[in-house]
Amino acid sequence: MTSNTITTKDGTQIFHKDWGPKDAQAIVFHHGWPLSADDWDAQMLFFLAQGYRVVAHDRRGHGRSSQTDTGNEMDTYAADVAELAAHLDLKGAIHVGHSTGGGEVTRYVAQYGGGGRVAKAVLIGAVPPIMLKTENNPGGLPIEVFDGFRAALVANRAQFFRDIPAGPFYGFNRAGAKVSEGVIDNWWRQGMMGGAKAHYDCIKAFSETDFTEDLKKIEVPVLVMHGDDDQIVPIADSALLSHKLLKNGTLKVYEGLPHGMATTHADVINADLLAFFKA
């Protein structure tokens, strides 16, 4: 175990960054699939400069954490975060999750956020309440979409992890988009650091987990941020529904912005996050 790794109860090593004054309010960032803590660079540096303590971890099976073949589902993801928060003695923290990380935040705050551990939460382009089309969720995406993800990952993960950021993730497939090859390369780099088995399992975790009851349980203020041109997690069946289930939720919709807006429009997102944190 190194200074930036904790070992969970099942022996999984979770890599994390912990920057800034330990007595400052902590912001914990939860990344999307199949990325790593590095996806939050623009936010980590910005909020560190604002005097916050900033924490980001690589989810099990992702980035520099253990390439696990088990536990790649939301209950274990949330339990891993709980172990990390206890290890770092985080109290009154703000938890910010993007995409799959938004599901992780929702499950973590609902199950472990009591006792002053969590002050606020933010869901950015997040997967709750549930992505999959079911009898109770007729507006969701059909299982064939996610079966396609699994098939593409198995067939050629390296190419699949190139096509996603080059296309819908950042809206680079839209007319007039300012395409950044560096951003595409960085997405690919992060994705390929993780384990194929964990990434495969996580598709089920982010698409089929139902967070409806978790959202209803959350008492703390939650900011729900979503681009209305999100091609990965369509807004109508995610943010618009999550907002209605939260007791203390605020919805902010970004016209024309993509799934990866925290990267493509970091200045806009960071300013709105800061305003919510200070409110």
Side-chain angles (χ1 to χ4, degrees):
M1 182 167 133
T2 63
S3 60
N4 59 355
T5 307
I6 67 160
T7 302
T8 65
K9 292 180 179 118
D10 72 351
T12 300
Q13 291 201 322
I14 302 294
F15 172 88
H16 62 281
K17 306 174 191 182
D18 178 11
W19 304 343
K22 300 303 177 269
D23 58 350
Q25 184 171 28
I27 308 168
V28 184
F29 294 98
H30 305 242
H31 64 79
W33 173 94
L35 303 172
S36 73
D38 295 355
D39 199 43
W40 291 109
D41 285 353
Q43 284 68 44
M44 295 274 285
L45 292 170
F46 177 83
F47 287 103
L48 181 65
Q50 297 291 326
Y52 288 91
R53 178 183 183 181
V54 291
V55 176
H57 66 292
D58 291 356
R59 185 174 302 115
R60 65 168 54 215
H62 296 64
R64 290 140 294 206
S65 293
S66 299
Q67 292 198 6
T68 46
D69 65 334
T70 58
N72 303 307
E73 34 71 24
M74 283 294 164
D75 283 341
T76 304
Y77 295 160
D80 289 346
V81 174
E83 288 197 55
L84 179 62
H87 174 79
L88 299 178
D89 195 27
L90 302 180
K91 296 185 177 75
I94 302 166
H95 285 261
V96 181
H98 174 240
S99 196
T100 300
E104 183 177 273
V105 167
T106 301
R107 180 61 50 92
Y108 167 75
V109 175
Q111 292 193 354
Y112 302 98
R117 282 267 181 220
V118 178
K120 294 180 179 179
V122 182
L123 307 179
I124 304 176
V127 298
I130 178 172
M131 288 192 74
L132 183 67
K133 180 178 182 178
T134 64
E135 193 174 321
N136 294 326
N137 186 46
L141 296 170
I143 190 69
E144 289 78 13
V145 171
F146 305 109
D147 286 343
F149 285 2
R150 282 181 277 264
L153 188 150
V154 170
N156 189 339
R157 185 169 68 128
Q159 185 61 52
F160 185 40
F161 284 6
R162 181 82 187 173
D163 294 342
I164 295 171
F169 198 93
Y170 296 111
F172 290 161
N173 56 347
R174 296 304 199 205
K178 290 175 64 177
V179 177
S180 168
E181 291 298 329
V183 165
I184 295 168
D185 290 346
N186 192 41
W187 201 102
W188 185 90
R189 175 190 67 84
Q190 291 178 72
M192 295 306 292
M193 286 169 66
K197 175 64 164 65
H199 286 166
Y200 186 94
D201 292 349
C202 189
I203 295 169
K204 180 181 178 70
F206 74 63
S207 63
E208 297 184 34
T209 305
D210 190 342
F211 298 97
T212 301
E213 295 307 314
D214 299 286
L215 291 163
K216 290 178 183 176
K217 281 182 195 171
I218 295 173
E219 305 276 351
V220 298
V222 181
L223 176 61
V224 180
M225 311 168 82
H226 219 103
D228 70 2
D229 192 35
D230 190 323
Q231 300 171 68
I232 303 293
V233 182
I235 189 172
D237 201 59
S238 54
L240 301 189
L241 300 181
S242 289
H243 172 244
K244 293 176 182 175
L245 293 166
L246 290 161
K247 292 174 182 169
N248 192 2
T250 301
L251 175 65
K252 194 162 182 65
V253 177
Y254 296 83
E255 185 178 353
L257 293 200
H259 188 60
M261 63 185 184
T263 296
T264 59
H265 295 77
D267 54 342
V268 174
I269 301 306
N270 290 350
D272 288 348
L273 286 173
L274 184 62
F276 175 67
F277 297 167
K278 289 181 173 288

